[in-house]
Amino acid sequence: MNAFIEELKWRGLYADSMPGTEKQLEKEMTSGYIGFDPTADSLHIGSLIQIKILAHFQQHGHKPIALVGGATGMIGDPSGKSSERNLLDEETLNHYVSCLKEQLSHFLNFEGNEANKAELVNNFDWMKEISFLDFVKNIGKNLTVNYMMAKDSVKKRLTGENGAEGMSFTEFTYQLIQGFDFLHLYENKNVKLQMGGTDQWGNITTGTELIRRKVQGEAFALTVQLITKADGSKFGKSEAGENYWLDPKKTSPYKFYQFWLNCTDEDAKRFIKYYTFLSEETINNLIKSHEEAPHERQLQKKLAEEVTVWVHGKEECEKAVKASQILFGKSTAEDLVALDEATFLEIFNGVPQKEISKAEILNGNIVDLLSEQSGFLKSKGEARREFAGNAISLNKEKIGENFQITTKDFIDGKFLLLQKGKKNYFIVKAV
């Protein structure tokens, strides 16, 4: 069995491929591509499998090409959708394309003189030169409407399956444009393989058919599993339906780390194969250790560490680990003070806050801050009683009644975390 396909299979990612695909991969270094639609200024964790497939492809000696769909992004892929998405204006789309190009460059090796170094392409670069009449004359005539309507992504929309609301001509042309992408890359970059999720099978095989009919060439398709959680629910979104983005400005490394750390045992066993580059032996040993002491959550911790390092780097992962330990009292005040604002507020989400002048805080005393200034405690008397019981902490460290706040105590230069007992928190924001 081909080593690339074998790796996808033991990891549980492989779904299907066209006859001859494995033979092609054995025969020579093969150029293969995956498309990414620019629907936002960042990819999210739903794209990680596609990125990882390209990374594995390159590791096994083949040439990965990441296609950013500047042209197809103007239309919208109907696969797996029940309604047409809003179209983007050109300025917004171009911004999204440039953001995705920058992001993808972090995951694949685009440097050096190796024959299999990665490439980034934008299908708008070749689509912009083609007129509508030339496209329908030279490309559209090669595939029948019957062939295009037989695709599952089209049939489901036209029959109203799962509440689908029909399909516009714009969306109907999507598979033809994606097929033309494959033809263009086949002719100009010797690309013989397109990969994607199982929902892309129809679009990919439209490309292989167009190559066969238009230039009598042979091209191939390979698909990987669409990822869901063990309970069948959608992967990659929070309970509130928000995405987990790869851009740290949109989803902090701490929140990203927490997503993986909070996986169920069953999901962690699958995800550590899907989303890390650890060997089969290492993963099997981790699973065995986890099953012997599941309460230690070794699998989740390793999964969270590996994926966060891959996406955000070792330094950000270490910060996320320290931030995760803060709530459990396993970190220092220095760790807390070093947090950035976004991470701090995510850790203590929902904790009441009050804004107070920084000068007033620095010139006042801790009893007044706890009571009259913040309202955290009802009175000075209560504050003194809590101090007498050694129940008051600042930034997770016990303090006494005579403690004096200085500028070095502020988290990210502006926050103080007050605490009574183990679970009663209050945030003061200096303004």
Side-chain angles (χ1 to χ4, degrees):
M1 183 185 295
N2 174 263
F4 170 63
I5 292 179
E6 184 176 11
E7 174 140 22
L8 297 187
K9 285 187 173 180
W10 79 253
R11 289 185 180 278
L13 290 170
Y14 178 87
D16 202 358
S17 61
M18 284 180 59
T21 301
E22 190 168 348
K23 185 177 179 181
Q24 167 61 36
L25 294 174
E26 286 294 322
K27 183 173 68 173
E28 61 186 359
M29 183 196 79
T30 301
S31 294
Y33 86 99
I34 292 177
F36 299 86
D37 267 352
T39 56
D41 59 1
S42 171
L43 297 168
H44 51 73
I45 61 175
S47 301
L48 276 180
I49 286 296
Q50 312 305 329
I51 295 170
K52 192 164 182 285
I53 296 307
L54 287 178
H56 282 306
F57 194 64
Q58 186 171 38
Q59 288 172 357
H60 285 281
H62 300 291
K63 183 178 179 68
I65 294 179
L67 181 148
V68 180
T72 39
M74 293 181 176
I75 296 171
D77 183 2
S79 302
K81 299 177 179 66
S82 60
S83 61
E84 186 166 1
R85 74 177 181 210
N86 294 328
L87 303 185
L88 303 172
D89 63 80
E90 190 170 341
E91 183 180 355
T92 301
L93 188 67
N94 288 338
H95 172 63
Y96 288 177
V97 167
S98 65
C99 290
L100 265 56
K101 279 187 173 183
E102 169 65 22
Q103 208 164 53
L104 285 165
S105 68
H106 295 298
F107 296 100
L108 301 167
N109 183 12
F110 292 86
E111 305 300 325
N113 299 314
E114 291 82 2
N116 74 324
K117 71 177 182 179
E119 281 190 49
L120 276 166
V121 296
N122 178 0
N123 61 10
F124 187 71
D125 291 341
W126 54 85
M127 287 300 302
K128 66 183 178 183
E129 306 295 338
I130 302 172
S131 73
F132 175 74
L133 291 177
D134 285 340
F135 186 79
V136 295
K137 180 178 71 173
N138 297 321
I139 304 302
K141 71 176 184 180
N142 292 282
L143 296 174
T144 66
V145 171
N146 301 48
Y147 175 87
M148 295 173 70
M149 290 183 67
K151 301 294 183 181
D152 284 343
S153 61
V154 176
K155 284 196 296 185
K156 289 177 181 179
R157 290 286 292 275
L158 294 180
T159 58
E161 188 175 328
N162 297 324
E165 55 182 46
M167 176 182 287
S168 69
F169 173 76
T170 303
E171 281 190 301
F172 184 62
T173 62
Y174 185 95
Q175 64 168 296
L176 196 57
I177 295 174
Q178 185 171 323
F180 178 63
D181 287 343
F182 202 170
L183 173 64
H184 175 88
L185 293 173
Y186 178 88
E187 292 186 298
N188 292 275
K189 292 186 178 291
N190 195 33
V191 174
K192 294 183 179 179
L193 175 67
Q194 184 181 356
M195 298 172 283
T198 52
D199 61 335
Q200 290 297 310
W201 181 262
N203 290 334
I204 296 173
T205 52
T206 294
T208 62
E209 184 66 10
L210 188 58
I211 290 167
R212 186 185 71 81
R213 295 189 185 191
K214 178 73 175 170
V215 294
Q216 292 74 55
E218 186 178 29
F220 304 93
L222 184 149
T223 56
V224 296
Q225 301 289 352
L226 296 178
I227 309 303
T228 59
K229 293 181 181 179
D231 62 7
S233 62
K234 190 175 179 65
F235 167 80
K237 288 183 180 288
S238 69
E239 292 183 4
E242 62 179 335
N243 281 314
Y244 285 85
W245 302 94
L246 305 189
D247 185 340
K249 297 184 186 72
K250 296 171 77 72
T251 298
S252 72
Y254 165 76
K255 190 173 182 181
F256 185 87
Y257 177 86
Q258 287 293 316
F259 172 83
W260 304 100
L261 190 64
N262 291 327
C263 286
T264 65
D265 287 352
E266 287 306 308
D267 282 333
K269 289 175 187 177
R270 295 184 304 128
F271 292 171
I272 201 158
K273 294 178 182 178
Y274 297 167
Y275 293 100
T276 77
F277 293 89
L278 298 172
S279 69
E280 186 173 14
E281 181 182 4
T282 299
I283 288 174
N284 288 338
N285 288 337
L286 277 167
I287 291 174
K288 183 179 178 181
S289 296
H290 175 84
E291 289 175 341
E292 290 171 355
H295 62 283
E296 294 180 3
R297 299 178 66 78
Q298 294 179 52
L299 209 52
Q300 285 91 338
K301 290 175 183 176
K302 189 62 175 174
L303 170 65
E305 176 194 343
E306 291 288 320
V307 184
T308 306
V309 168
W310 181 42
V311 174
H312 294 297
K314 187 175 181 180
E315 184 178 344
E316 290 299 329
C317 180
E318 289 173 352
K319 289 180 185 177
V321 172
K322 285 184 178 180
S324 298
Q325 294 171 340
I326 284 170
L327 283 175
F328 303 101
K330 297 179 181 178
S331 60
T332 65
E334 286 76 16
D335 292 333
L336 189 56
V337 171
L339 292 176
D340 60 85
E341 179 176 352
T343 304
F344 171 70
L345 293 177
E346 279 173 359
I347 296 173
F348 295 99
N349 182 36
V351 172
Q353 289 187 41
K354 184 167 183 181
E355 293 185 351
I356 302 174
S357 157
K358 180 175 275 192
E360 192 177 350
I361 296 170
L362 293 172
N363 294 327
N365 63 71
I366 192 67
V367 171
D368 287 344
L369 180 66
L370 283 164
S371 53
E372 293 176 352
Q373 290 177 331
S374 69
F376 177 38
L377 302 181
K378 293 178 182 178
S379 65
K380 293 181 180 182
E382 182 185 358
R384 292 191 176 99
R385 285 193 297 275
E386 296 297 344
F387 274 122
N390 196 31
I392 301 297
S393 299
L394 175 75
N395 298 343
K396 302 291 285 184
E397 289 197 349
K398 296 289 186 182
I399 59 171
E401 185 176 341
N402 296 318
F403 182 86
Q404 184 62 47
I405 293 171
T406 66
T407 53
K408 67 180 178 59
D409 295 312
F410 289 95
I411 298 164
D412 197 35
K414 62 174 78 77
F415 296 104
L416 297 171
L417 180 68
L418 305 177
Q419 183 178 355
K420 183 182 78 170
K422 290 185 177 180
K423 297 181 179 180
N424 197 357
Y425 292 104
F426 192 94
I427 294 170
V428 170
K429 181 177 181 181
V431 294

